[in-house]
Amino acid sequence: MIIGDGFGTLGSILNDVHPDLTIIQVNLGRTLIFDLAFSAITAPNKPHLLVHKLSEAKDGAINFLPAEDLSNSDEDIELFIAVESFQEMDIQIVQNYFKLMRLQTGFISAYLVSRLSKTLPDGIEVRLEQYGWDAKDEILF
């Protein structure tokens, strides 16, 4: 699952390197159409599906899920990627993503790139340690 991938660039690169991957792109509904359009150009031979539940995602496809439709379900997701996307979200939204990660079975990997703190346009400061880390989490860097 790639959270907030801009226009789907990272998902397109991952698909190019590993075409057997099942990818779930999550972004705001308004922006998601650009992700889908860009991805369809870069990977024309792979199914591109707009889904409204994680359970609708198809193996071997690039699935597009509006963030507004994301719910904490028990679908099996092996890797979460968020490159700078958490920096623009309210802390409650980030914590919801962490709750979703905690529902997964087995070993969970997450690749996050975020600042230690960020002041949102409404003046609220969001700090990395507020995201929803657990004492048993291993942070590599």
Side-chain angles (χ1 to χ4, degrees):
M1 176 178 283
I2 304 173
I3 302 163
D5 190 14
F7 292 132
T9 307
L10 181 58
S12 294
I13 292 169
L14 284 174
N15 181 66
D16 204 33
V17 175
H18 295 285
D20 57 321
L21 286 179
T22 298
I23 297 173
I24 301 171
Q25 292 274 21
V26 177
N27 211 336
L28 297 174
R30 300 184 297 245
T31 307
L32 198 61
I33 194 69
F34 294 105
D35 299 10
L36 197 150
F38 179 79
S39 182
I41 293 168
T42 61
N45 296 327
K46 190 164 189 170
H48 291 72
L49 306 171
L50 179 62
V51 299
H52 294 283
K53 296 179 189 174
L54 282 173
S55 61
E56 295 174 356
K58 301 291 184 211
D59 287 341
I62 302 177
N63 301 275
F64 298 86
L65 176 68
E68 300 86 349
D69 294 342
L70 184 65
S71 64
N72 288 337
S73 67
D74 61 352
E75 301 304 318
D76 190 24
I77 299 168
E78 296 176 20
L79 175 65
F80 291 84
I81 301 173
V83 181
E84 298 183 9
S85 58
F86 285 169
Q87 296 182 101
E88 59 199 35
M89 296 179 189
D90 292 334
I91 193 62
Q92 294 85 3
I93 295 170
V94 175
Q95 290 171 345
N96 283 338
Y97 280 109
F98 269 73
K99 287 177 189 173
L100 175 63
M101 289 183 222
R102 301 261 178 245
L103 290 172
Q104 306 308 304
T105 58
F107 178 76
I108 302 306
S109 295
Y111 176 75
L112 309 175
V113 179
S114 279
R115 296 179 186 173
L116 295 177
S117 69
K118 165 100 177 176
T119 303
L120 300 175
D122 59 6
I124 294 175
E125 183 181 32
V126 176
R127 302 192 54 77
L128 185 67
E129 66 260 10
Q130 298 172 307
Y131 282 12
W133 303 105
D134 189 282
K136 65 183 177 200
D137 290 341
E138 180 181 358
I139 299 173
L140 302 177
F141 176 73

